[in-house]
Amino acid sequence: TDGDGRITFDEFVNSNIAKVTEIESIGNLLQLVANEQVTLVEFHAPFCRTCRNMRARFAKLPGRRPDAQYLSVDVKKQRAVADELGIKDVPSYVLFKGGERCGQWKGAYKVEQLEEFLNI
């Protein structure tokens, strides 16, 4: 910190503070969901207007539910990841618990609805 109680951006990036992590490969995704933590994965595309609106909502989740892990997949960059999980539409969301896939949704949702997915 710089003395005012705030952390720098680099400190935030290197901390364990709940945040959304961008996925870079199917191996990266599988490694991250293999733990016991509840994980919600967002699939989006830069050309999708609904996705842009939903990304802002998805980004609020770590502050509301820091007990879960949040991952994000840009399907334009990571088509193989989307294909591996059978994602055909964006925005889509996949829930993992204890490494097991246990839910999938597509479309636009309120922040509260996204948060409810974590309770399934």
Side-chain angles (χ1 to χ4, degrees):
T1 67
D2 56 11
D4 64 359
R6 297 180 181 173
I7 63 173
T8 66
F9 181 75
D10 288 336
E11 288 171 321
F12 171 75
V13 168
N14 295 320
S15 73
N16 287 326
I17 295 172
K19 57 190 171 237
V20 177
T21 302
E22 288 288 331
I23 295 301
E24 299 177 9
S25 69
I26 189 66
N28 177 225
L29 176 94
L30 294 175
Q31 178 184 15
L32 289 169
V33 302
N35 64 34
E36 293 301 312
Q37 197 169 20
V38 173
T39 303
L40 187 59
V41 184
E42 158 199 58
F43 291 84
H44 63 91
F47 53 80
C48 169
R49 180 177 295 173
T50 302
C51 295
R52 288 192 297 269
N53 292 333
M54 289 307 302
R55 291 203 75 198
R57 295 176 192 174
F58 190 78
K60 293 179 181 179
L61 290 172
R64 294 171 71 115
R65 287 287 301 274
D67 57 312
Q69 176 175 235
Y70 303 94
L71 308 178
S72 184
V73 178
D74 179 336
V75 299
K76 188 172 181 186
K77 292 180 183 175
Q78 302 300 333
R79 185 75 243 165
V81 176
D83 289 345
E84 181 75 21
L85 293 176
I87 302 299
K88 304 292 182 203
D89 302 303
V90 290
S92 287
Y93 306 89
V94 177
L95 181 69
F96 290 87
K97 288 187 177 182
E100 297 293 319
R101 185 177 181 162
C102 57
Q104 181 173 329
W105 305 268
K106 64 180 178 178
Y109 298 93
K110 295 178 181 178
V111 175
E112 295 79 14
Q113 291 171 304
L114 292 171
E115 192 174 356
E116 280 299 311
F117 293 164
L118 301 171
N119 297 326
I120 291 178

